[in-house]
Amino acid sequence: MKIATLTFQRALNYGAILQCYSLQKTIKDLGYDSEVLDYDCKMISKGYKILITDSLAAFIKSLLFFPMFYKKKQNFASFIKRFISVSKEVSYPELVNASSGYDAVITGSDQVWNYKLTGSDSTYFLDFIPEQRKRLSYAASFGIKDIPAKLQEFYQRNISGMGYISVREQTGADLVEKICGRKAEVVLDPVFLQSAEEWQRLMPENKEKNYIFVYMPGKNTLKAAQLLAKAKKLKIIYCAYGYSLRNMRENIGDMRLSLGPDEFLTLLNGADYVLTGSFHATAFSLIFHKDFFVEVPENVGSRITDLLKMFDLEKRIFNSELLSEDSDIDWSQITEKMDRLRQNSLSSLQKSIKAAVHV
């Protein structure tokens, strides 16, 4: 049996690539052959261009950062080559023929149903597959709370055309029911389907010690990290998407602009604290039992708050420069719940595949 997945495999984004890897590995662990469809969503890929020509200022800035971004792109390509099976590049018209070579196709995880990211690309609803039963989602995310009125018909038509539906957040399940009256199962993001030990097998050696790991900060995160570092006598390692040329005070700590996905995991896993505004950095903090704090971003924060509610960890959210450390985490309770939810999610994934391939 051959199962394809459709996701954001071309994004130079740690969470996107790591969840892509984990879903494929999990499908293979269940005994199926699997590969990622190398579809290029232009709305996604244009956000990761190395040279930007939108304006003179943007072009000059991209030239300044070119060596670092080029190295990062190489590191991502190396990770994908080593750990992920990817199809040849396929355009939308080619997907119609390509889909006949698979017993089922799974869209997800990540925000594949967020129109703001994809430009309302119906490909992520698998509308190129003739048989509805072969159109599956696993932990698909909207990343938003509401659908605009002008897109209601688009979402209603495409979600109704899906076979088995699972989503990553309760917010997403509520949207599915509101849009087309269907029930969607809430499952864990694919990164949770692999244990901490499995993830650690991918990691290179970490020579760093005594540090705070910062990734995708909000407006208060950098200052909070500096105050925490001073109080705990720790250094800061900041996984950044670029230097700030407008406000040099934002360039704090030991900045890393070229990390590969495996190096990202290594540094997060070895940190004393993690401060972030990222869903997947939050997820890996849970997997690796990190002392973490999250500044939830506006507009797309529901996926983080839903995750923290799931584990009763809303107290790890902060929105000021001062962090409250009066909420210890009961990791034994978290591990017990995560194991139970992992088994439920694996069961859901396996059930959906069996329903698609056994007619």
Side-chain angles (χ1 to χ4, degrees):
M1 298 287 183
K2 195 168 187 178
I3 311 298
T5 57
L6 183 69
T7 188
F8 299 156
Q9 83 293 339
R10 288 182 171 229
L12 295 183
N13 176 282
Y14 300 105
I17 298 304
L18 291 169
Q19 65 82 23
C20 173
Y21 159 81
S22 191
L23 181 56
Q24 182 176 88
K25 185 177 186 304
T26 301
I27 292 169
K28 290 182 176 181
D29 290 344
L30 291 174
Y32 302 97
D33 189 12
S34 181
E35 66 180 3
V36 179
L37 291 170
D38 191 19
Y39 171 69
D40 183 11
C41 175
K42 301 303 181 184
M43 277 288 289
I44 298 295
S45 57
K46 78 175 185 179
Y48 298 98
K49 290 194 300 183
I50 296 179
L51 285 178
I52 302 170
T53 57
D54 295 349
S55 67
L56 180 60
F59 178 67
I60 293 172
K61 185 177 179 179
S62 65
L63 277 180
L64 290 172
F65 294 148
F66 182 85
M68 290 169 283
F69 289 166
Y70 183 73
K71 183 180 178 182
K72 180 178 180 178
K73 191 169 186 176
Q74 286 184 312
N75 287 337
F76 268 70
S78 174
F79 181 89
I80 292 170
K81 184 176 181 179
R82 284 179 289 149
F83 298 118
I84 303 177
S85 302
V86 182
S87 75
K88 68 175 184 178
E89 183 176 352
V90 282
S91 64
Y92 181 84
E94 291 171 328
L95 282 170
V96 178
N97 293 326
S99 67
S100 63
Y102 304 102
D103 295 281
V105 181
I106 300 174
T107 184
S109 175
D110 229 327
Q111 298 179 65
V112 291
W113 290 349
N114 186 339
Y115 70 94
K116 294 180 181 179
L117 295 183
T118 67
S120 302
D121 190 339
S122 63
T123 309
Y124 291 102
F125 294 92
L126 310 179
D127 63 346
F128 55 87
I129 301 174
E131 306 97 324
Q132 182 175 358
R133 63 178 176 80
K134 293 172 63 173
R135 303 180 193 175
L136 314 178
S137 73
Y138 179 81
S141 176
F142 291 85
I144 50 178
K145 293 181 179 180
D146 298 296
I147 303 298
K150 65 181 181 180
L151 291 175
Q152 288 287 334
E153 192 277 332
F154 169 84
Y155 274 93
Q156 194 280 331
R157 180 179 73 255
N158 282 293
I159 292 176
S160 297
M162 294 293 300
Y164 193 91
I165 303 174
S166 75
V167 293
R168 195 174 64 185
E169 296 96 19
Q170 183 59 48
T171 303
D174 295 341
L175 274 175
V176 169
E177 186 167 12
K178 181 180 178 181
I179 291 167
C180 64
R182 292 187 59 179
K183 297 288 185 181
E185 193 162 359
V186 179
V187 295
L188 291 175
D189 185 272
V191 300
F192 288 105
L193 300 181
Q194 299 294 315
S195 67
E197 292 74 22
E198 286 293 330
W199 284 114
Q200 286 160 354
R201 292 178 185 179
L202 302 180
M203 298 180 193
E205 180 185 0
N206 187 6
K207 297 179 181 179
E208 303 287 352
K209 292 182 179 179
N210 306 318
Y211 62 92
I212 297 168
F213 185 70
V214 176
Y215 175 60
M216 288 186 69
K219 63 181 180 180
N220 297 300
T221 307
L222 298 181
K223 186 62 177 179
Q226 290 174 306
L227 292 173
L228 184 63
K230 184 177 180 180
K232 300 295 182 179
K233 295 180 171 56
L234 299 170
K235 63 183 178 182
I236 294 171
I237 295 180
Y238 178 12
C239 176
Y241 279 91
Y243 292 112
S244 175
L245 301 179
R246 183 172 297 175
N247 187 354
M248 299 301 289
R249 288 180 297 179
E250 294 180 0
N251 302 323
I252 68 167
D254 179 0
M255 298 183 71
R256 308 289 180 93
L257 276 64
S258 305
L259 296 175
D262 48 347
E263 296 168 313
F264 171 88
L265 283 178
T266 297
L267 288 172
L268 191 152
N269 180 53
D272 292 83
Y273 292 88
V274 176
L275 270 64
T276 189
S278 155
F279 173 88
H280 281 107
T282 303
F284 281 112
S285 295
L286 293 173
I287 292 169
F288 297 139
H289 294 186
K290 295 287 99 180
D291 204 341
F292 73 97
F293 296 94
V294 186
E295 186 171 6
V296 178
E298 296 179 5
N299 301 322
V300 294
S302 61
R303 58 201 181 120
I304 297 177
T305 54
D306 280 1
L307 175 64
L308 294 177
K309 284 179 184 177
M310 188 182 294
F311 291 99
D312 299 317
L313 289 173
E314 297 99 314
K315 288 185 178 181
R316 308 311 287 188
I317 296 173
F318 73 97
N319 56 11
S320 71
E321 295 172 355
L322 297 175
L323 301 176
S324 173
E325 293 189 76
D326 61 356
S327 55
D328 291 335
I329 300 175
D330 183 347
W331 287 114
S332 61
Q333 193 174 59
I334 297 297
T335 300
E336 181 181 340
K337 186 165 189 178
M338 192 180 297
D339 288 343
R340 185 172 69 253
L341 292 172
R342 180 184 292 122
Q343 289 306 312
N344 291 342
S345 297
L346 286 169
S347 176
S348 174
L349 176 60
Q350 193 159 29
K351 181 172 64 176
S352 70
I353 294 173
K354 286 184 177 179
V357 302
H358 298 298
V359 183

